[in-house]
Amino acid sequence: MTFDLDRAWRIDPRVSMRPEPFGALLYHFGTRRLSFLKNQTVLAVVRSLDGHPSARDACLACGVAEAELPAYARALAALADSKMITERMSHDSSS
């Protein structure tokens, strides 16, 4: 899956997030899948997705350098592929 950093994303409403010292555990109640966020920065990005017009803006606001964006795009693509995050339509309100 190609992840579009310039689109709006959010945590799926059926996902529960449990912060951990290494990052976080995400559990999707619909798919019954578990995902791991491997550091605090990716956790901050995922938490802030709904508050930014794009995933790129969320990354940059959380201190992700331009050079690191491809790695974060891959991590977010994996979360989108596992339905942990979903694309947010421009008219969606923050949850």
Side-chain angles (χ1 to χ4, degrees), residues 15-66:
V15 171
S16 173
M17 187 177 340
R18 186 174 88 192
E20 295 288 344
F22 59 82
L25 295 172
L26 276 63
Y27 180 77
H28 193 294
F29 285 94
T31 64
R32 302 174 78 185
R33 292 182 78 176
L34 184 66
S35 291
F36 297 88
L37 302 183
K38 296 179 181 178
N39 65 55
Q40 294 295 322
T41 304
V42 74
L43 171 59
V45 169
V46 170
R47 279 184 164 164
S48 71
L49 285 172
D50 205 26
H52 293 280
S54 71
R56 182 183 307 278
D57 289 334
C59 287
L60 296 175
C62 292
V64 176
E66 286 281 340

Side-chain angles (χ1 to χ4, degrees), residues 2 8 24 26 62 69 72 77 83 90:
T2 301
L26 276 63
C62 292
L69 286 175
Y72 280 80
K83 310 283 190 259
S90 59

